[in-house]
Amino acid sequence: MGYEDSWLDMQRMLRDGHMIPIIAMTANAFAEDVQASMGAGINGHQSKPIQMDGAVGAIAGKLNQQTEETIQIYIRGEGKMKAKKYIALALAALMALSLAACGKPGRETEVGERARDAHAPITIMSANKDYSGFIEYVKSVYPEINIEIVPYRGANTTQYMYDQLYTGYMPDIYATTQLFTCYDKYAENLIDLSKYDFTSRYNEARISQYELDGKIYLLPTDYDVIGIAYNASLFEREGWKVPSSFAELEALAPIIREAGYSLADCATNLPGYGFQYMCNIGDTGFLRSIEGIRWQRDFLAGNATAVEGLAGTFDYIQKWVDLGMLKYSSPDETPHEHFKEGNTAFFVGSIYGWNTKDDGTGDVIKPLPYLSEDGTQNMFISSTVRAYGLSRKLEAPGNEQKLEDALKVMELLSTDEGMMRIMERYETASARVCSLKDWEMPESSPYYDYRDFIADGHVAPLIYAGWENIMVDVGNKFMDYLRGDCTAMDVLTTMDACQAENLSSGAHVYAHVEETLYVEDLARLTGMVFCEAADADLALISLNEWKAGVSARQENADGIGGAMMPLEMTEMDIVCWLPTGWYGTIQTYSFTGTRIRELVERGYDLNGDGNSYPYVLVAPEDFVLDDAAEYTVYFAGIAEEVAAESEMQDSGIVGLEAMEAYLDRVEVTKPADILWEA
């Protein structure tokens, strides 16, 4: 295998556009050999026999983000000289395999390898999505195309997707659950797909929701449909007509009550529910009008108020409250269970299962759209599972083949077969709808009777992106309104006050990140901060990896799942990668040095199948592990059988609070700032 082939093989480890420095270690020692390696794009050249000082110096000189001392922190228990030897020998062995002068392969084999290498992997982020079936489909049509999964399993997926779009730090195929309000970033970081034929396969009403200034940067695949629900069996037994407008619902309500049944159960035991019901009812009128959509953008930009825009909407919401369709439920109530007892006509909230009994013998539950006053603007709400776009980096010179491959992948995604492979677990996702115009909804779907209604565009997108910083406070105030503790005007003034504060102060910034902090950097940062907070000696931080055949929901969510991109680091961004998420506390265990070595070698066996996730061992600078000593260890991911070997000590310190306190004290802007001194 030649220099060019070796360079291509090594760059398969490319991550998000960052090239890996490569140093050739080979028996070819003449000047022309050095020139050949440099000409192939290799960054350095060391001839055999390897001189250790020269090799280590060459490696250290080419690493632009990790110094020799930084690397040494990963090799705990080894002296610095042994660390140098480890690094040099590891890279020497790797490159010797690639460049050893042991004879070239036959012409036919070499051509085949070059053809395969010419198709650099197309990357896509996992983020709770299993792409195994889709990859198999792509390979069956285009065997030469390679797809590589970039793992992510953090606690704030939506924010992570936002950060990717905002910074352009994204895989080749960008996946998102939201249409974010940073509209200028779409043109800046994504390719306009409207010029490609496969966009014509999508339902016009559906794809129009993603159109920005006549351009299409995202293609929606599957989406969940949200409405209210009714007990269809009860309606059939009583001979009631299902209402098609709020006026008909008002006429039916006293009949339901006179028959001895409850009109509605409503899940409002979390503030986010209150905010969403307020918006969902508004979507049957003003919020889905041209004026309403313009108002939403103006409000988020600080150019409009809720008092001016939503007063009429609250007049209609009040009718739902007065009728008894919207009402407060305390955190300890169980409205879902009450509805499934079979004595209630309607349910406002998400339904889990379309039958009142798990075994399927109970009453049949069916969906109903949010009803407008006269029935002309009835509306379901959509929650996108995924929409996909292409990074503009694919249009850079030298990426012609990669762009061609990525477009073929998008074309396959835009077919019935490709869409079904993307919509994994479709048989259990009964409220899920496909965005292709020719897709036929199965008769088993609870939304089958509404298939034409949905296809014709009577679906509004869930109002979420851009509203995250105010929805909890507004939702809590809306719950006060449902309890009768405040007026509609109080809700609207609270909404205006929250948005004004959000725009004036913004979220607290803990660091202005200048250089990307990769998963290993964040592992070191987390281990250092948590150990100092909980008075632990060292940490074992697991990293997430994508593993073929492992369900997306069985990926490692207990360790570091993503990078910190170059932007202002707020609490929302920290939670994207922090192992403890929003509320988890720092917990420690005690183990001997010998056992720690074994666990580092074994990794985190999350699913108990031996298919482990790697650990990064984090300790102070110049730390040497003593096999016989016992250490207090923080684990980001510990198997149950390992945890059983030691008594867990819960510090009671919330991990997020510890990280925020540290970053307020020591701003981390680049990997070199992460320094744990003994």
Side-chain angles (χ1 to χ4, degrees):
M1 186 177 294
Y3 292 112
E4 293 87 353
D5 301 299
S6 301
W7 184 88
L8 285 167
D9 274 350
M10 290 299 294
Q11 292 307 338
R12 289 185 180 194
M13 292 184 286
L14 174 70
R15 290 295 184 272
D16 299 304
H18 295 269
M19 306 296 281
I20 297 173
I22 301 174
I23 299 171
M25 295 184 179
T26 172
N28 301 329
F30 295 106
E32 56 267 28
D33 298 317
V34 176
Q35 186 64 35
S37 65
M38 297 304 183
I42 291 174
N43 306 93
H45 187 284
Q46 289 286 307
S47 59
K48 300 178 183 179
I50 302 299
Q51 300 297 317
M52 194 61 62
D53 290 341
V56 172
I59 295 167
K62 294 300 177 183
L63 293 173
N64 56 7
Q65 289 194 18
Q66 288 179 311
T67 64
E68 175 187 333
E69 289 76 15
T70 303
I71 294 175
Q72 202 272 336
I73 200 170
Y74 300 150
I75 312 167
R76 302 302 175 192
E78 311 291 349
K80 283 191 176 180
M81 290 304 296
K82 196 167 184 180
K84 292 180 181 179
K85 183 176 180 182
Y86 176 90
I87 299 166
L89 290 180
L91 286 179
L94 179 61
M95 296 312 299
L97 288 173
S98 297
L99 302 180
C102 56
K104 290 187 176 182
R107 174 67 180 169
E108 183 176 345
T109 303
E110 185 176 358
V111 170
E113 288 177 348
R114 287 183 181 276
R116 183 174 62 252
D117 290 341
H119 293 268
I122 305 299
T123 55
I124 184 171
M125 184 175 70
S126 58
N128 306 318
K129 192 78 169 172
D130 185 359
Y131 290 100
S132 300
F134 182 68
I135 292 174
E136 291 175 1
Y137 175 54
V138 172
K139 278 292 185 184
S140 70
V141 180
Y142 298 112
E144 72 278 8
I145 293 180
N146 304 304
I147 295 180
E148 179 180 323
I149 302 299
V150 178
Y152 178 75
R153 191 71 165 83
N156 198 350
T157 301
T158 300
Q159 181 68 30
Y160 197 72
M161 291 171 169
Y162 174 88
D163 290 349
Q164 286 182 321
L165 177 64
Y166 193 84
T167 62
Y169 178 97
M170 61 178 63
D172 300 316
I173 297 178
Y174 170 67
T176 181
T177 58
Q178 299 288 326
L179 182 63
F180 298 110
T181 54
C182 52
Y183 300 112
D184 58 320
K185 295 299 180 180
Y186 289 93
E188 182 179 331
N189 293 318
L190 293 176
I191 294 173
D192 176 18
L193 300 174
S194 61
K195 56 189 173 184
Y196 297 105
D197 290 341
F198 50 73
T199 59
S200 64
R201 301 173 186 170
Y202 289 79
N203 175 280
E204 290 87 350
R206 179 69 179 149
I207 204 168
S208 66
Q209 296 179 0
Y210 289 84
E211 186 175 314
L212 297 172
D213 298 325
K215 297 180 179 179
I216 298 172
Y217 300 102
L218 293 170
L219 299 178
T221 53
D222 48 336
Y223 56 103
D224 290 326
V225 177
I226 304 167
I228 60 178
Y230 70 99
N231 186 323
S233 298
L234 176 60
F235 269 69
E236 184 177 355
R237 287 195 299 267
E238 296 294 330
W240 299 331
K241 179 181 178 294
V242 179
S244 58
S245 69
F246 187 79
E248 292 182 2
L249 177 61
E250 283 184 303
L252 179 62
I255 297 173
I256 292 173
R257 291 189 171 107
E258 287 171 7
Y261 298 101
S262 298
L263 176 65
D265 286 313
C266 186
T268 53
N269 43 9
L270 290 174
Y273 292 151
F275 179 84
Q276 287 303 333
Y277 302 152
M278 179 185 77
C279 295
N280 296 349
I281 294 172
D283 278 326
T284 65
F286 172 71
L287 288 180
R288 287 314 299 160
S289 66
I290 294 175
E291 295 80 8
I293 293 172
R294 184 182 298 116
W295 173 85
Q296 292 180 55
R297 294 191 181 188
D298 288 345
F299 177 81
L300 292 176
N303 299 322
T305 68
V307 170
E308 295 171 341
L310 295 182
T313 296
F314 259 85
D315 289 341
Y316 183 45
I317 291 173
Q318 185 63 49
K319 292 185 177 183
W320 283 66
V321 175
D322 292 341
L323 188 62
M325 287 294 292
L326 274 186
K327 53 189 175 182
Y328 173 76
S329 59
S330 65
D332 58 348
E333 290 185 65
T334 56
H336 291 84
E337 294 179 11
H338 186 264
F339 176 68
K340 290 202 170 186
E341 291 175 2
N343 299 311
T344 305
F346 297 98
F347 184 80
V348 180
S350 298
I351 283 292
Y352 308 103
W354 295 93
N355 198 284
T356 58
K357 293 187 178 179
D358 294 337
D359 61 4
T361 61
D363 289 349
V364 174
I365 300 169
K366 289 189 176 182
L368 193 68
Y370 280 88
L371 300 172
S372 62
E373 291 202 65
D374 62 2
T376 60
Q377 297 186 71
N378 293 350
M379 198 69 62
F380 283 113
I381 310 300
S382 68
S383 176
T384 300
V385 178
R386 288 293 184 279
Y388 296 92
L390 293 181
S391 168
R392 286 201 65 183
K393 289 182 290 187
L394 291 167
E395 293 182 328
N399 281 341
E400 290 79 9
Q401 183 63 63
K402 203 172 187 184
L403 175 59
E404 181 181 334
D405 289 351
L407 288 170
K408 289 178 179 178
V409 173
M410 294 294 282
E411 179 186 16
L412 292 182
L413 184 148
S414 305
T415 63
D416 286 341
E417 177 69 16
M419 198 74 79
M420 289 303 102
R421 297 294 187 101
I422 288 289
M423 295 167 61
E424 91 270 15
R425 301 186 308 113
Y426 179 77
E427 66 280 359
T428 61
S430 56
R432 192 157 293 176
V433 178
C434 174
S435 295
L436 296 179
K437 65 171 61 172
D438 295 329
W439 178 71
E440 295 185 5
M441 184 181 292
E443 292 185 22
S444 59
S445 170
Y447 288 87
Y448 184 76
D449 292 341
Y450 286 99
R451 61 192 183 279
D452 294 333
F453 182 81
I454 291 171
D456 289 341
H458 296 278
V459 180
L462 183 73
I463 294 178
Y464 178 84
W467 303 81
E468 302 94 328
N469 292 332
I470 71 168
M471 64 171 53
V472 172
D473 288 338
V474 175
N476 278 324
K477 199 64 176 179
F478 188 80
M479 303 254 253
D480 291 342
Y481 163 71
L482 293 181
R483 281 196 299 262
D485 295 338
C486 72
T487 66
M489 186 56 65
D490 292 330
V491 178
L492 296 176
T493 54
T494 296
M495 193 170 179
D496 285 334
C498 289
Q499 181 64 355
E501 182 180 357
N502 176 49
L503 292 172
S504 63
S505 62
H508 181 77
V509 176
Y510 293 93
H512 298 264
V513 180
E514 299 171 356
E515 299 176 14
T516 300
L517 302 175
Y518 295 99
V519 289
E520 292 86 356
D521 303 316
L522 296 174
R524 291 190 296 119
L525 177 62
T526 300
M528 176 180 68
V529 172
F530 284 12
C531 285
E532 289 185 350
D535 196 25
D537 300 308
L538 49 87
L540 288 181
I541 311 293
S542 64
L543 307 180
N544 187 28
E545 288 182 341
W546 185 79
K547 300 177 184 293
V550 175
S551 166
R553 288 156 185 80
Q554 291 181 308
E555 285 188 58
N556 180 19
D558 300 321
I560 303 293
M564 181 65 229
M565 302 157 214
L567 43 68
E568 295 181 341
M569 190 194 305
T570 68
E571 179 175 289
M572 298 285 284
D573 305 301
I574 294 172
V575 176
C576 287
W577 50 265
L578 197 70
T580 50
W582 294 99
Y583 307 113
T585 56
I586 303 173
Q587 301 170 350
T588 61
Y589 299 81
S590 296
F591 288 98
T592 65
T594 298
R595 185 59 173 141
I596 291 168
R597 288 184 189 277
E598 293 172 352
L599 293 174
V600 171
E601 182 177 353
R602 174 184 176 184
Y604 173 34
D605 190 3
L606 169 62
N607 300 308
D609 56 4
N611 199 6
S612 298
Y613 295 90
Y615 275 130
V616 171
L617 177 57
V618 185
E621 295 295 313
D622 298 321
F623 177 84
V624 177
L625 194 67
D626 183 344
D627 289 349
E630 188 166 281
Y631 298 94
T632 301
V633 186
Y634 165 72
F635 284 83
I638 183 170
E640 291 183 7
E641 67 273 15
V642 176
E645 300 174 19
S646 171
E647 183 177 352
M648 185 269 288
Q649 298 294 324
D650 192 334
S651 69
I653 300 171
V654 176
L656 178 59
E657 294 176 358
M659 183 60 69
E660 290 175 342
Y662 178 85
L663 292 173
D664 263 340
R665 189 174 75 252
V666 181
E667 186 176 41
V668 175
T669 65
K670 53 188 178 299
D673 295 333
I674 306 170
L675 185 62
W676 187 2
E677 297 179 348

